[in-house]
PDB file of all heavy atoms in Angstrom:
ATOM      1  N   ASN A   1      -2.176 -11.110   7.732  1.00  0.00           N
ATOM      2  CA  ASN A   1      -0.923 -10.677   8.352  1.00  0.00           C
ATOM      3  C   ASN A   1      -0.033 -10.081   7.265  1.00  0.00           C
ATOM      4  O   ASN A   1       0.554 -10.808   6.459  1.00  0.00           O
ATOM      5  CB  ASN A   1      -0.241 -11.862   9.036  1.00  0.00           C
ATOM      6  CG  ASN A   1       1.117 -11.486   9.615  1.00  0.00           C
ATOM      7  OD1 ASN A   1       1.504 -10.314   9.645  1.00  0.00           O
ATOM      8  ND2 ASN A   1       1.858 -12.482  10.058  1.00  0.00           N
ATOM      9  N   LEU A   2       0.062  -8.773   7.213  1.00  0.00           N
ATOM     10  CA  LEU A   2       0.810  -8.104   6.145  1.00  0.00           C
ATOM     11  C   LEU A   2       2.306  -8.356   6.253  1.00  0.00           C
ATOM     12  O   LEU A   2       3.032  -8.227   5.261  1.00  0.00           O
ATOM     13  CB  LEU A   2       0.528  -6.591   6.176  1.00  0.00           C
ATOM     14  CG  LEU A   2      -0.947  -6.192   6.017  1.00  0.00           C
ATOM     15  CD1 LEU A   2      -1.103  -4.686   6.155  1.00  0.00           C
ATOM     16  CD2 LEU A   2      -1.530  -6.665   4.698  1.00  0.00           C
ATOM     17  N   ASN A   3       2.766  -8.711   7.436  1.00  0.00           N
ATOM     18  CA  ASN A   3       4.186  -9.048   7.611  1.00  0.00           C
ATOM     19  C   ASN A   3       4.515 -10.431   7.062  1.00  0.00           C
ATOM     20  O   ASN A   3       5.681 -10.751   6.827  1.00  0.00           O
ATOM     21  CB  ASN A   3       4.570  -9.007   9.103  1.00  0.00           C
ATOM     22  CG  ASN A   3       4.638  -7.592   9.628  1.00  0.00           C
ATOM     23  OD1 ASN A   3       5.555  -6.852   9.315  1.00  0.00           O
ATOM     24  ND2 ASN A   3       3.640  -7.201  10.422  1.00  0.00           N
ATOM     25  N   GLY A   4       3.480 -11.259   6.872  1.00  0.00           N
ATOM     26  CA  GLY A   4       3.719 -12.651   6.511  1.00  0.00           C
ATOM     27  C   GLY A   4       3.450 -12.972   5.048  1.00  0.00           C
ATOM     28  O   GLY A   4       3.391 -14.149   4.689  1.00  0.00           O
ATOM     29  N   ILE A   5       3.251 -11.937   4.204  1.00  0.00           N
ATOM     30  CA  ILE A   5       2.974 -12.205   2.790  1.00  0.00           C
ATOM     31  C   ILE A   5       4.243 -12.717   2.116  1.00  0.00           C
ATOM     32  O   ILE A   5       5.287 -12.065   2.164  1.00  0.00           O
ATOM     33  CB  ILE A   5       2.464 -10.925   2.078  1.00  0.00           C
ATOM     34  CG1 ILE A   5       1.115 -10.501   2.668  1.00  0.00           C
ATOM     35  CG2 ILE A   5       2.342 -11.151   0.568  1.00  0.00           C
ATOM     36  CD1 ILE A   5       0.608  -9.165   2.156  1.00  0.00           C
ATOM     37  N   GLU A   6       4.135 -13.881   1.505  1.00  0.00           N
ATOM     38  CA  GLU A   6       5.299 -14.468   0.849  1.00  0.00           C
ATOM     39  C   GLU A   6       5.586 -13.744  -0.459  1.00  0.00           C
ATOM     40  O   GLU A   6       4.680 -13.390  -1.195  1.00  0.00           O
ATOM     41  CB  GLU A   6       5.052 -15.960   0.598  1.00  0.00           C
ATOM     42  CG  GLU A   6       5.081 -16.784   1.858  1.00  0.00           C
ATOM     43  CD  GLU A   6       5.006 -18.274   1.575  1.00  0.00           C
ATOM     44  OE1 GLU A   6       5.299 -18.685   0.440  1.00  0.00           O
ATOM     45  OE2 GLU A   6       4.647 -19.010   2.511  1.00  0.00           O
ATOM     46  N   VAL A   7       6.861 -13.539  -0.714  1.00  0.00           N
ATOM     47  CA  VAL A   7       7.267 -12.838  -1.920  1.00  0.00           C
ATOM     48  C   VAL A   7       7.005 -13.739  -3.124  1.00  0.00           C
ATOM     49  O   VAL A   7       7.329 -14.913  -3.136  1.00  0.00           O
ATOM     50  CB  VAL A   7       8.770 -12.465  -1.850  1.00  0.00           C
ATOM     51  CG1 VAL A   7       9.220 -11.837  -3.152  1.00  0.00           C
ATOM     52  CG2 VAL A   7       9.014 -11.526  -0.684  1.00  0.00           C
ATOM     53  N   GLY A   8       6.397 -13.154  -4.127  1.00  0.00           N
ATOM     54  CA  GLY A   8       6.093 -13.878  -5.359  1.00  0.00           C
ATOM     55  C   GLY A   8       5.590 -12.869  -6.357  1.00  0.00           C
ATOM     56  O   GLY A   8       6.220 -11.837  -6.571  1.00  0.00           O
ATOM     57  N   LYS A   9       4.434 -13.126  -6.933  1.00  0.00           N
ATOM     58  CA  LYS A   9       3.826 -12.142  -7.825  1.00  0.00           C
ATOM     59  C   LYS A   9       3.343 -10.949  -6.995  1.00  0.00           C
ATOM     60  O   LYS A   9       3.111 -11.068  -5.795  1.00  0.00           O
ATOM     61  CB  LYS A   9       2.659 -12.783  -8.577  1.00  0.00           C
ATOM     62  CG  LYS A   9       3.108 -13.837  -9.590  1.00  0.00           C
ATOM     63  CD  LYS A   9       1.936 -14.275 -10.446  1.00  0.00           C
ATOM     64  CE  LYS A   9       2.432 -15.059 -11.646  1.00  0.00           C
ATOM     65  NZ  LYS A   9       2.635 -16.467 -11.375  1.00  0.00           N
ATOM     66  N   PRO A  10       3.189  -9.754  -7.628  1.00  0.00           N
ATOM     67  CA  PRO A  10       2.722  -8.585  -6.869  1.00  0.00           C
ATOM     68  C   PRO A  10       1.472  -8.897  -6.052  1.00  0.00           C
ATOM     69  O   PRO A  10       0.529  -9.511  -6.552  1.00  0.00           O
ATOM     70  CB  PRO A  10       2.431  -7.567  -7.975  1.00  0.00           C
ATOM     71  CG  PRO A  10       3.374  -7.921  -9.074  1.00  0.00           C
ATOM     72  CD  PRO A  10       3.466  -9.417  -9.032  1.00  0.00           C
ATOM     73  N   ALA A  11       1.499  -8.491  -4.786  1.00  0.00           N
ATOM     74  CA  ALA A  11       0.394  -8.744  -3.862  1.00  0.00           C
ATOM     75  C   ALA A  11      -0.353  -7.439  -3.593  1.00  0.00           C
ATOM     76  O   ALA A  11       0.250  -6.365  -3.509  1.00  0.00           O
ATOM     77  CB  ALA A  11       0.926  -9.325  -2.560  1.00  0.00           C
ATOM     78  N   PHE A  12      -1.679  -7.565  -3.426  1.00  0.00           N
ATOM     79  CA  PHE A  12      -2.551  -6.419  -3.196  1.00  0.00           C
ATOM     80  C   PHE A  12      -3.464  -6.728  -2.022  1.00  0.00           C
ATOM     81  O   PHE A  12      -4.062  -7.808  -1.967  1.00  0.00           O
ATOM     82  CB  PHE A  12      -3.388  -6.161  -4.457  1.00  0.00           C
ATOM     83  CG  PHE A  12      -4.539  -5.190  -4.280  1.00  0.00           C
ATOM     84  CD1 PHE A  12      -4.370  -3.834  -4.529  1.00  0.00           C
ATOM     85  CD2 PHE A  12      -5.794  -5.640  -3.881  1.00  0.00           C
ATOM     86  CE1 PHE A  12      -5.433  -2.949  -4.375  1.00  0.00           C
ATOM     87  CE2 PHE A  12      -6.854  -4.756  -3.724  1.00  0.00           C
ATOM     88  CZ  PHE A  12      -6.676  -3.404  -3.971  1.00  0.00           C
ATOM     89  N   VAL A  13      -3.561  -5.781  -1.078  1.00  0.00           N
ATOM     90  CA  VAL A  13      -4.534  -5.882   0.013  1.00  0.00           C
ATOM     91  C   VAL A  13      -5.231  -4.525   0.129  1.00  0.00           C
ATOM     92  O   VAL A  13      -4.577  -3.491   0.266  1.00  0.00           O
ATOM     93  CB  VAL A  13      -3.877  -6.251   1.361  1.00  0.00           C
ATOM     94  CG1 VAL A  13      -4.937  -6.310   2.464  1.00  0.00           C
ATOM     95  CG2 VAL A  13      -3.145  -7.583   1.267  1.00  0.00           C
ATOM     96  N   TRP A  14      -6.548  -4.558   0.069  1.00  0.00           N
ATOM     97  CA  TRP A  14      -7.373  -3.338   0.096  1.00  0.00           C
ATOM     98  C   TRP A  14      -7.914  -3.119   1.500  1.00  0.00           C
ATOM     99  O   TRP A  14      -8.331  -4.071   2.175  1.00  0.00           O
ATOM    100  CB  TRP A  14      -8.515  -3.537  -0.898  1.00  0.00           C
ATOM    101  CG  TRP A  14      -9.501  -2.432  -1.056  1.00  0.00           C
ATOM    102  CD1 TRP A  14      -9.262  -1.112  -1.209  1.00  0.00           C
ATOM    103  CD2 TRP A  14     -10.929  -2.588  -1.136  1.00  0.00           C
ATOM    104  NE1 TRP A  14     -10.448  -0.418  -1.385  1.00  0.00           N
ATOM    105  CE2 TRP A  14     -11.479  -1.305  -1.341  1.00  0.00           C
ATOM    106  CE3 TRP A  14     -11.786  -3.688  -1.068  1.00  0.00           C
ATOM    107  CZ2 TRP A  14     -12.858  -1.091  -1.470  1.00  0.00           C
ATOM    108  CZ3 TRP A  14     -13.154  -3.482  -1.196  1.00  0.00           C
ATOM    109  CH2 TRP A  14     -13.681  -2.199  -1.393  1.00  0.00           C
ATOM    110  N   PHE A  15      -7.929  -1.856   1.932  1.00  0.00           N
ATOM    111  CA  PHE A  15      -8.439  -1.524   3.258  1.00  0.00           C
ATOM    112  C   PHE A  15      -9.759  -0.758   3.195  1.00  0.00           C
ATOM    113  O   PHE A  15     -10.158  -0.094   4.154  1.00  0.00           O
ATOM    114  CB  PHE A  15      -7.404  -0.693   4.030  1.00  0.00           C
ATOM    115  CG  PHE A  15      -6.051  -1.338   4.079  1.00  0.00           C
ATOM    116  CD1 PHE A  15      -4.931  -0.687   3.581  1.00  0.00           C
ATOM    117  CD2 PHE A  15      -5.889  -2.615   4.595  1.00  0.00           C
ATOM    118  CE1 PHE A  15      -3.678  -1.279   3.605  1.00  0.00           C
ATOM    119  CE2 PHE A  15      -4.641  -3.225   4.629  1.00  0.00           C
ATOM    120  CZ  PHE A  15      -3.531  -2.557   4.136  1.00  0.00           C
ATOM    121  N   GLY A  16     -10.445  -0.832   2.045  1.00  0.00           N
ATOM    122  CA  GLY A  16     -11.674  -0.069   1.852  1.00  0.00           C
ATOM    123  C   GLY A  16     -11.372   1.317   1.302  1.00  0.00           C
ATOM    124  O   GLY A  16     -10.285   1.862   1.459  1.00  0.00           O
ATOM    125  N   HIS A  17     -12.347   1.887   0.597  1.00  0.00           N
ATOM    126  CA  HIS A  17     -12.202   3.173  -0.071  1.00  0.00           C
ATOM    127  C   HIS A  17     -10.969   3.142  -0.981  1.00  0.00           C
ATOM    128  O   HIS A  17     -10.860   2.241  -1.809  1.00  0.00           O
ATOM    129  CB  HIS A  17     -12.162   4.322   0.940  1.00  0.00           C
ATOM    130  CG  HIS A  17     -12.549   5.652   0.353  1.00  0.00           C
ATOM    131  ND1 HIS A  17     -13.794   5.875  -0.180  1.00  0.00           N
ATOM    132  CD2 HIS A  17     -11.863   6.813   0.198  1.00  0.00           C
ATOM    133  CE1 HIS A  17     -13.851   7.126  -0.634  1.00  0.00           C
ATOM    134  NE2 HIS A  17     -12.689   7.701  -0.425  1.00  0.00           N
ATOM    135  N   SER A  18     -10.030   4.067  -0.854  1.00  0.00           N
ATOM    136  CA  SER A  18      -8.875   4.109  -1.758  1.00  0.00           C
ATOM    137  C   SER A  18      -7.558   3.785  -1.072  1.00  0.00           C
ATOM    138  O   SER A  18      -6.491   4.127  -1.575  1.00  0.00           O
ATOM    139  CB  SER A  18      -8.785   5.495  -2.409  1.00  0.00           C
ATOM    140  OG  SER A  18      -9.817   5.657  -3.341  1.00  0.00           O
ATOM    141  N   SER A  19      -7.626   3.130   0.074  1.00  0.00           N
ATOM    142  CA  SER A  19      -6.416   2.757   0.811  1.00  0.00           C
ATOM    143  C   SER A  19      -6.051   1.321   0.491  1.00  0.00           C
ATOM    144  O   SER A  19      -6.898   0.425   0.607  1.00  0.00           O
ATOM    145  CB  SER A  19      -6.647   2.878   2.320  1.00  0.00           C
ATOM    146  OG  SER A  19      -7.114   4.161   2.671  1.00  0.00           O
ATOM    147  N   TYR A  20      -4.796   1.090   0.099  1.00  0.00           N
ATOM    148  CA  TYR A  20      -4.372  -0.278  -0.177  1.00  0.00           C
ATOM    149  C   TYR A  20      -2.865  -0.427  -0.044  1.00  0.00           C
ATOM    150  O   TYR A  20      -2.114   0.538  -0.042  1.00  0.00           O
ATOM    151  CB  TYR A  20      -4.850  -0.755  -1.552  1.00  0.00           C
ATOM    152  CG  TYR A  20      -4.564   0.153  -2.724  1.00  0.00           C
ATOM    153  CD1 TYR A  20      -3.384   0.044  -3.461  1.00  0.00           C
ATOM    154  CD2 TYR A  20      -5.494   1.112  -3.124  1.00  0.00           C
ATOM    155  CE1 TYR A  20      -3.127   0.875  -4.550  1.00  0.00           C
ATOM    156  CE2 TYR A  20      -5.257   1.940  -4.215  1.00  0.00           C
ATOM    157  CZ  TYR A  20      -4.076   1.812  -4.920  1.00  0.00           C
ATOM    158  OH  TYR A  20      -3.827   2.634  -5.994  1.00  0.00           O
ATOM    159  N   PHE A  21      -2.477  -1.698   0.082  1.00  0.00           N
ATOM    160  CA  PHE A  21      -1.091  -2.091   0.303  1.00  0.00           C
ATOM    161  C   PHE A  21      -0.639  -2.959  -0.873  1.00  0.00           C
ATOM    162  O   PHE A  21      -1.382  -3.815  -1.343  1.00  0.00           O
ATOM    163  CB  PHE A  21      -1.022  -2.887   1.613  1.00  0.00           C
ATOM    164  CG  PHE A  21       0.295  -3.548   1.913  1.00  0.00           C
ATOM    165  CD1 PHE A  21       1.335  -2.832   2.489  1.00  0.00           C
ATOM    166  CD2 PHE A  21       0.484  -4.902   1.647  1.00  0.00           C
ATOM    167  CE1 PHE A  21       2.550  -3.451   2.791  1.00  0.00           C
ATOM    168  CE2 PHE A  21       1.687  -5.533   1.945  1.00  0.00           C
ATOM    169  CZ  PHE A  21       2.717  -4.798   2.521  1.00  0.00           C
ATOM    170  N   LEU A  22       0.566  -2.711  -1.358  1.00  0.00           N
ATOM    171  CA  LEU A  22       1.160  -3.509  -2.422  1.00  0.00           C
ATOM    172  C   LEU A  22       2.498  -4.053  -1.944  1.00  0.00           C
ATOM    173  O   LEU A  22       3.251  -3.350  -1.269  1.00  0.00           O
ATOM    174  CB  LEU A  22       1.396  -2.657  -3.676  1.00  0.00           C
ATOM    175  CG  LEU A  22       0.165  -2.061  -4.367  1.00  0.00           C
ATOM    176  CD1 LEU A  22       0.585  -0.955  -5.327  1.00  0.00           C
ATOM    177  CD2 LEU A  22      -0.622  -3.137  -5.105  1.00  0.00           C
ATOM    178  N   LYS A  23       2.766  -5.302  -2.286  1.00  0.00           N
ATOM    179  CA  LYS A  23       4.098  -5.851  -2.032  1.00  0.00           C
ATOM    180  C   LYS A  23       4.587  -6.496  -3.321  1.00  0.00           C
ATOM    181  O   LYS A  23       3.928  -7.381  -3.880  1.00  0.00           O
ATOM    182  CB  LYS A  23       4.074  -6.876  -0.897  1.00  0.00           C
ATOM    183  CG  LYS A  23       5.479  -7.354  -0.516  1.00  0.00           C
ATOM    184  CD  LYS A  23       5.456  -8.204   0.749  1.00  0.00           C
ATOM    185  CE  LYS A  23       6.865  -8.594   1.164  1.00  0.00           C
ATOM    186  NZ  LYS A  23       6.879  -9.423   2.379  1.00  0.00           N
ATOM    187  N   ILE A  24       5.709  -6.006  -3.814  1.00  0.00           N
ATOM    188  CA  ILE A  24       6.274  -6.494  -5.063  1.00  0.00           C
ATOM    189  C   ILE A  24       7.723  -6.890  -4.776  1.00  0.00           C
ATOM    190  O   ILE A  24       8.526  -6.049  -4.375  1.00  0.00           O
ATOM    191  CB  ILE A  24       6.187  -5.427  -6.166  1.00  0.00           C
ATOM    192  CG1 ILE A  24       4.748  -4.897  -6.260  1.00  0.00           C
ATOM    193  CG2 ILE A  24       6.643  -5.983  -7.506  1.00  0.00           C
ATOM    194  CD1 ILE A  24       4.572  -3.656  -7.085  1.00  0.00           C
ATOM    195  N   LYS A  25       8.022  -8.188  -4.941  1.00  0.00           N
ATOM    196  CA  LYS A  25       9.261  -8.755  -4.406  1.00  0.00           C
ATOM    197  C   LYS A  25       9.299  -8.433  -2.914  1.00  0.00           C
ATOM    198  O   LYS A  25       8.342  -8.727  -2.205  1.00  0.00           O
ATOM    199  CB  LYS A  25      10.481  -8.249  -5.169  1.00  0.00           C
ATOM    200  CG  LYS A  25      10.569  -8.833  -6.583  1.00  0.00           C
ATOM    201  CD  LYS A  25      11.933  -8.654  -7.192  1.00  0.00           C
ATOM    202  CE  LYS A  25      12.009  -9.337  -8.550  1.00  0.00           C
ATOM    203  NZ  LYS A  25      13.302  -9.120  -9.220  1.00  0.00           N
TER     204      LYS A  25
END
């Protein structure tokens, strides 16, 4: 659940190939 990632250290979620999501703070 990308809406539910708790803020902390930089977070990374990969969607395959070169697509990915980062959450920092």
Side-chain angles (χ1 to χ4, degrees):
N1 176 8
L2 301 176
N3 287 287
I5 295 173
E6 288 187 20
V7 175
K9 291 189 167 85
F12 168 92
V13 179
W14 180 47
F15 307 122
H17 203 62
S18 289
S19 306
Y20 50 90
F21 172 82
L22 297 164
K23 186 171 184 180
I24 309 168
K25 289 196 176 177

